[in-house]
Amino acid sequence: MTEDADLEAVRVLARLTRLVERSTEGLSLAHYRVLSAVADGDERASRVAARLALGKPTISASVDALCRRGLLTREGVAGDQRATTLRLTPEGEAALTGVETTLVERLGIVLSHTEAPEAVRATLCQLGLALDALADQRLATLRSTR
């Protein structure tokens, strides 16, 4: 029974991902994820890569594209010529706010069709905390191997 429930949960997550993809209004899902990670305080590309479980080349390509679109900026870090800090531009903040407003509305519609919307919302938030813990663990492992 657990195996069937796990498979169903994975399939539901895939369907939710599609809902998110259709709601990002001109941003790819990858670009949305990068913008939201930077908005959450992940200012270094390496931290964004670890949090999102993506390789540095993938993050670099997304950051380059977002900078070209004027949604993100790179700033040098004093004392470290290799490091850059990522920041949302006002246009990036507006784009992120617009997408997230749409996403919250659509999530609300989906949750309204469940028996316990608050419990489902709380469970999703718990999954987010678990993903953050895994990202922190991955980053700590990367740092310890250097």
Side-chain angles (χ1 to χ4, degrees):
M1 182 62 177
T2 300
E3 199 171 297
D4 290 341
D6 288 346
L7 180 57
E8 181 62 21
V10 167
R11 289 178 177 169
V12 168
L13 288 172
R15 291 170 61 201
L16 280 171
T17 300
R18 183 63 185 133
L19 176 77
V20 171
E21 288 172 337
R22 289 191 318 251
S23 303
T24 55
E25 302 171 11
L27 283 178
S28 71
L29 184 55
H31 290 177
Y32 166 71
R33 292 172 62 204
V34 170
L35 288 178
S36 65
V38 173
D40 282 346
D42 294 323
E43 297 176 334
R44 300 274 179 104
S46 60
R47 176 68 182 142
V48 172
R51 179 173 185 189
L52 301 179
L54 296 171
K56 287 183 184 177
T58 302
I59 292 299
S60 292
S62 290
V63 167
D64 289 345
L66 291 166
C67 287
R68 280 193 305 275
R69 289 181 63 184
L71 303 178
L72 202 59
T73 62
R74 285 188 185 102
E75 299 171 8
V77 175
D80 188 346
Q81 293 178 341
R82 296 182 316 161
T84 59
T85 298
L86 303 175
R87 300 224 190 280
L88 293 177
T89 64
E91 294 82 4
E93 289 178 15
L96 184 60
T97 298
V99 166
E100 289 183 334
T101 298
T102 300
L103 288 170
V104 167
E105 289 170 0
R106 295 210 175 148
L107 178 62
I109 292 167
V110 172
L111 292 178
S112 73
H113 288 77
T114 67
E115 290 180 22
E118 291 306 318
V120 175
R121 185 178 286 110
T123 299
L124 289 171
C125 291
Q126 288 175 355
L127 285 172
L129 294 173
L131 290 170
D132 289 344
L134 286 171
D136 290 343
Q137 187 177 43
R138 220 176 8 259
L139 190 58
T141 300
L142 286 172
R143 286 183 178 149
S144 70
T145 60
R146 289 184 185 168

